[in-house]
Amino acid sequence: MTAADSWYLVIVGYAIMLAWPVSTLALVSFAVRYAASHRTATVSRSLEHGDGTPQHFWIIVPALNEEVVVGNTVNAALGLSGPGGTLARVLVVDDGSDDRTPEVLAAIDHPRLRVLRRELPEARQGKGEALNAAYRYIAERTASDGVDPDKVVIGIIDGDGQGSRNILLEVSRMMRDTTIGAVQVQVRIRNRDKLLGAVQDLEFGAIVNACQSLRDTIDTVGLGGNGQFTRLSALLALGDAPWSACLVEDLELGLRMHLDGVGIRYTSRASVTQQAVVDLRRLTRQRTRWAQGNIQCVRYLRRLMSSKRISTTSLLEVMHYLISPWINAVVTVVLLGGVTIATAGLLIGHPVPYLQSWTALAASGATWFAVTFFPGFVWALVHRYRLRDETLRRLLIAAAAYPVFLLLGLVATYRAIGRQASGRQAWAKTERLAEEPLPHHLQVALAA
């Protein structure tokens, strides 16, 4: 290998390492400077297409063994109201629970609550099938009542989720534009007093928020499993089962809507909170499921590339979202392999051309260390600037732990590839943590 080749490898290696912090700064710049102005533009644009303001709201709560959280979730959902005091109806899909979930639900006596109990063998076929059952129930009720499906919005709040008080008002504001068929709200973590919870809130409250805001400007917003709101008419256009058996049924639904030309918007003015997974083993399992679902959705790339409804910019962003985890996994292996070979060469007295001394290896290691830790601290500052509901000290501690969180994501990616290659699809449900019940005064108000 010539000296020129050696320098070429060094330059390429540093370029790969620096690409992440540079892209982080670019995304932060967008999130801070342009997100607010785009929200204003979105409101102005909504006035150009008539009045699509929803008049009816259904909140679906998929529940499988949710006894420790479903009471709070249902009571919170029953307290949500939209424009003009419009109240949401809540439909809980009990997907074959064998804990005390049925008893907890039976104890909530409210005229706007419906419970759809699914028994085996239909039950426990995945969250997508549970949502489809609820969707078909709502579609039948809507048709029998003679209601325009364009005016009906279905929201998904998970068994541990709680929507902000303004969530239906904000969704209605976004859906005044008749071209908008779905809205995704911001997701936050409720139990962020623990370190893993704080890191996950840093992820959702800062990083995911910035990514979704960017996608909002180029019409590539992705739907999440929690806090997604869709017009019934947009779901009806997808047939009898809009949600699939994909392990990330929300991501696939969003891709199908984009292919149908349905507008999807994101808002950080409203939010839904959920529980963090605070056990490393369970968190790895959750992220492996997400990664495997991402693999399953790669099959849509061909249709996206041939679609005339998807702009080049939108296509590139979707491709980046679907493919980047696997590129990161490969690049990490390449970089680790290069460092391992360089270290071995120095130990046996035959240094490789691109790292010929321990000093050069140490300099590369210091750069790698800085690159790994830098983005987390930047996002901690963004979180503090935007939300102001956590101390800077706690955010900086979460930022210091963020690289370990990323390493866990890489492990999940490799596991997902193995699971998909071996045809394994079954998953154990994510466990919930017990919480204090809603305040008594709120429960009294809901019962009124």
Side-chain angles (χ1 to χ4, degrees):
M1 180 180 292
T2 66
D5 292 334
S6 177
W7 277 108
Y8 176 77
L9 286 175
V10 171
I11 292 172
V12 170
Y14 276 107
I16 291 174
M17 285 194 293
L18 294 175
W20 182 30
V22 170
S23 62
T24 295
L25 290 176
L27 185 57
V28 166
S29 176
F30 165 82
V32 173
R33 297 174 57 192
Y34 299 112
S37 62
H38 181 69
R39 285 197 297 267
T40 303
T42 300
V43 175
S44 301
R45 188 170 62 239
S46 71
L47 303 176
E48 301 173 1
H49 302 99
D51 187 6
T53 303
Q55 298 174 353
H56 305 271
F57 297 91
W58 284 87
I59 303 296
I60 299 177
V61 179
L64 172 58
N65 293 341
E66 304 280 13
E67 63 175 345
V68 299
V69 292
V70 73
N72 280 352
T73 297
V74 170
N75 282 322
L78 288 169
L80 300 176
S81 60
T86 304
L87 298 174
R89 284 177 283 186
V90 178
L91 175 59
V92 180
V93 188
D94 181 359
D95 201 30
S97 298
D98 54 18
D99 65 351
R100 292 188 60 258
T101 295
E103 288 84 348
V104 173
L105 294 172
I108 305 176
D109 183 15
H110 200 287
R112 287 186 283 109
L113 173 63
R114 302 287 184 273
V115 177
L116 178 62
R117 170 75 180 183
R118 283 164 54 84
E119 302 287 355
L120 294 172
E122 288 79 12
R124 301 195 179 192
Q125 295 182 4
K127 181 180 176 182
E129 282 305 308
L131 294 176
N132 285 331
Y135 151 75
R136 289 189 287 268
Y137 174 91
I138 295 171
E140 291 171 2
R141 286 288 304 270
T142 300
S144 64
D145 293 343
V147 176
D148 182 358
D150 277 334
K151 297 294 185 179
V152 177
V153 167
I154 297 176
I156 310 298
I157 294 181
D158 284 345
D160 63 334
Q162 295 179 23
S164 59
R165 300 289 294 179
N166 69 328
I167 195 168
L168 299 186
L169 292 170
E170 178 62 11
V171 168
S172 297
R173 184 185 71 86
M174 303 292 285
M175 286 191 172
R176 288 181 62 185
D177 187 341
T178 57
T179 67
I180 303 304
V183 173
Q184 175 64 46
V185 305
Q186 180 177 235
V187 176
R188 296 291 307 279
I189 296 298
R190 211 164 41 249
N191 56 326
R192 52 183 185 268
D193 54 318
K194 298 182 181 298
L195 179 58
L196 269 181
V199 176
Q200 288 167 71
D201 191 59
L202 180 67
E203 175 190 31
F204 284 111
I207 305 170
V208 173
N209 176 75
C211 291
Q212 287 280 51
S213 297
L214 174 62
R215 293 172 191 145
D216 195 47
T217 66
I218 55 177
D219 299 323
T220 58
V221 170
L223 292 178
N226 202 7
Q228 60 171 276
F229 290 80
T230 55
R231 289 191 199 272
L232 177 57
S233 55
L235 294 173
L236 289 170
L238 297 177
D240 196 48
W243 286 277
S244 74
C246 176
L247 292 174
V248 282
E249 75 292 326
D250 47 297
L251 172 60
E252 184 171 19
L253 176 63
L255 293 175
R256 293 177 66 194
M257 284 189 166
H258 282 303
L259 287 168
D260 265 13
V262 176
I264 304 177
R265 288 287 173 259
Y266 172 77
T267 178
S268 59
R269 292 187 175 186
S271 64
V272 59
T273 63
Q274 64 187 36
Q275 288 187 348
V277 182
V278 294
D279 176 85
L280 274 175
R281 180 179 60 83
R282 294 170 181 170
L283 181 60
T284 303
R285 186 175 65 196
Q286 179 200 64
R287 297 307 169 105
T288 302
R289 175 173 61 83
W290 292 1
Q292 189 175 354
N294 193 295
I295 293 175
Q296 294 171 344
C297 286
V298 170
R299 68 180 184 269
Y300 281 93
L301 280 179
R302 185 174 180 179
R303 291 176 58 189
L304 289 165
M305 288 188 289
S306 61
S307 174
K308 296 181 179 179
R309 289 172 169 163
I310 309 294
S311 68
T312 301
T313 303
S314 299
L315 176 62
L316 290 174
E317 170 57 24
V318 173
M319 291 178 65
H320 172 265
Y321 179 77
L322 291 177
I323 296 175
S324 61
W326 324 121
I327 295 177
N328 293 339
V330 172
V331 167
T332 301
V333 171
V334 172
L335 290 176
L336 284 174
V339 171
T340 301
I341 293 172
T343 303
L346 290 171
L347 288 172
I348 63 176
H350 295 284
V352 295
Y354 57 89
L355 283 175
Q356 297 187 348
S357 68
W358 289 106
T359 301
L361 182 61
S364 296
T367 302
W368 197 342
F369 181 86
V371 164
T372 302
F373 280 86
F374 175 76
F377 288 105
V378 172
W379 288 119
L381 296 176
V382 171
H383 189 293
R384 176 63 181 170
Y385 173 79
R386 279 195 62 248
L387 301 170
R388 300 183 182 278
D389 56 5
E390 281 292 349
T391 65
L392 183 58
R393 177 179 176 274
R394 282 181 52 79
L395 289 169
L396 292 177
I397 292 173
Y402 186 59
V404 178
F405 190 71
L406 294 175
L407 180 61
L408 181 148
L410 286 172
V411 171
T413 298
Y414 298 131
R415 290 187 65 209
I417 294 172
R419 286 183 61 88
Q420 186 67 17
S422 61
R424 288 177 290 170
Q425 304 289 324
W427 284 95
K429 181 188 174 299
T430 301
E431 293 82 356
R432 308 298 190 194
L433 303 174
E435 296 180 328
E436 293 295 324
L438 290 178
H440 178 70
H441 71 276
L442 181 55
Q443 295 190 43
V444 171
L446 292 175

